Amino acid sequence: EPIYEKNYWNKLKCDDMPDGLDLMLFDFGVNAGPGRAAKFVQELVGTTVDGGIGPMSLKAIDEYIETHGLGQTIKEYANMRQRYYEGLSTFDTFGKGWTRRVSEVTEKSMDMICPLILQIYLKRFISKKLTNSLDAMPDGQLLRLPSGL
């Protein structure tokens, strides 16, 4: 098993995280340690801060995202991460690189969730349009989609 997968991705339960948040945790875990990455997300979502992602943490993360949204959760996590770096005594030396890294990973994470949001929107839009179309059809008329769809 590759080191990054075993010591960071799996340890942070990234397979159980939504797209985008998984990248944020993984990248921070590689940069600052998986325990710290886990503690930050636990603090953000208001669960026990012990540095280990388990069922309680995953449930709290899901509930937090349900209330605040995935995009907002990613942004808040990025802000916590940036404040952490800014508090380090070596920020004057390495801060520009850390800030760039936070910015780039946040942008990539947000890009990862855009297709999900678009999928949800399209499903709702198509479902609503289809329902409205069916309601307006005379009884017994079959729905025929144009060829090529």
Side-chain angles (χ1 to χ4, degrees):
E1 186 173 29
I3 291 172
Y4 283 101
E5 184 179 8
K6 177 183 174 191
N7 294 341
Y8 302 97
W9 187 265
N10 292 345
K11 194 168 204 167
L12 289 164
K13 305 283 192 277
C14 291
D15 278 340
D16 298 321
M17 299 287 170
D19 289 348
L21 187 59
D22 57 356
L23 177 61
M24 292 295 293
L25 270 99
F26 174 74
D27 188 69
F28 192 37
V30 169
N31 193 245
R36 180 169 286 115
K39 287 178 182 178
F40 274 52
V41 76
Q42 289 169 330
E43 181 182 336
L44 175 64
V45 302
T47 192
T48 303
V49 179
D50 60 10
I53 302 288
M56 288 177 56
S57 293
L58 291 170
K59 183 176 189 270
I61 291 166
D62 286 344
E63 290 170 354
Y64 190 88
I65 290 170
E66 183 71 30
T67 302
H68 297 89
L70 181 54
Q72 187 62 33
T73 303
I74 288 170
K75 289 176 188 175
E76 290 173 8
Y77 190 79
N79 288 335
M80 291 176 75
R81 183 178 174 179
Q82 183 64 33
R83 284 193 302 273
Y84 164 75
Y85 290 132
E86 290 174 3
L88 295 176
S89 62
T90 53
F91 187 77
D92 287 343
T93 305
F94 302 109
K96 187 176 179 182
W98 289 332
T99 299
R100 180 182 42 77
R101 184 173 181 154
V102 170
S103 177
E104 289 174 357
V105 172
T106 302
E107 184 178 335
K108 178 65 177 167
S109 294
M110 295 301 287
D111 287 347
M112 291 170 72
I113 69 169
C114 283
L116 293 175
I117 292 169
L118 183 59
Q119 254 183 2
I120 291 166
Y121 173 77
L122 285 175
K123 282 181 183 176
R124 288 182 183 161
F125 178 78
I126 290 168
S127 175
K128 184 177 180 181
K129 287 291 187 188
L130 186 58
T131 301
N132 290 342
S133 296
L134 290 174
D135 289 343
M137 294 175 119
D139 287 341
Q141 184 177 349
L142 294 176
L143 176 65
R144 290 194 180 90
L145 296 175
S147 62
L149 289 183

